[in-house]
Amino acid sequence: MELTILSQGKDEMEILVKGETHTLMNIIKATLLEDPRIETAFYDVKRLSNSVEREPVLYIKTMPGEKPIEILKDVADKIMAMCDEFSTAFTKAVQQK
């Protein structure tokens, strides 16, 4: 995975998420939209001018006064915690079998 910030303003940003698919992008988008500091979040899979590959671009717009990069960091931490919780529950389920 390679991240490139394509544009960044006071309350919005666009990030190229090279090498990822709908699987990760849907989790990021859904988790962003759960955050009350987010006005909108979506991604689009685009073909960039210098590539034959189609790559996802994440767009985030926050409520006034909120910083998109900080919210994205919080969302990344939340997703990691969800993965850890799933891993723990899965390990416990396998051990009980």
Side-chain angles (χ1 to χ4, degrees):
M1 174 188 324
E2 182 181 327
L3 301 179
T4 303
I5 296 175
L6 300 176
S7 66
Q8 185 173 9
K10 230 168 44 172
D11 60 356
E12 60 188 325
M13 68 186 310
E14 281 184 303
I15 304 171
L16 172 65
V17 187
K18 193 170 184 180
E20 288 303 324
T21 64
H22 293 286
T23 304
L24 179 62
M25 299 309 297
N26 277 317
I27 293 168
I28 294 170
K29 178 192 73 165
T31 308
L32 279 165
L33 291 173
E34 291 173 356
D35 193 303
R37 300 171 293 174
I38 293 291
E39 185 174 309
T40 190
F42 62 88
Y43 73 93
D44 189 16
V45 179
K46 297 181 178 184
R47 186 180 315 269
L48 301 177
S49 60
N50 60 348
S51 174
V52 296
E53 300 289 323
R54 295 177 65 85
E55 302 289 353
V57 174
L58 178 65
Y59 175 77
I60 302 168
K61 179 155 178 59
T62 67
M63 298 303 222
E66 300 292 345
K67 296 179 181 172
I69 201 158
E70 294 300 321
I71 298 171
L72 190 54
K73 287 178 188 177
D74 293 346
V75 163
D77 289 342
K78 184 176 181 178
I79 292 169
M80 288 174 49
M82 290 185 323
C83 290
D84 289 343
E85 183 181 350
F86 177 82
S87 180
T88 299
F90 179 74
T91 299
K92 183 178 175 183
V94 169
Q95 290 172 347
Q96 291 175 355
K97 188 173 180 187

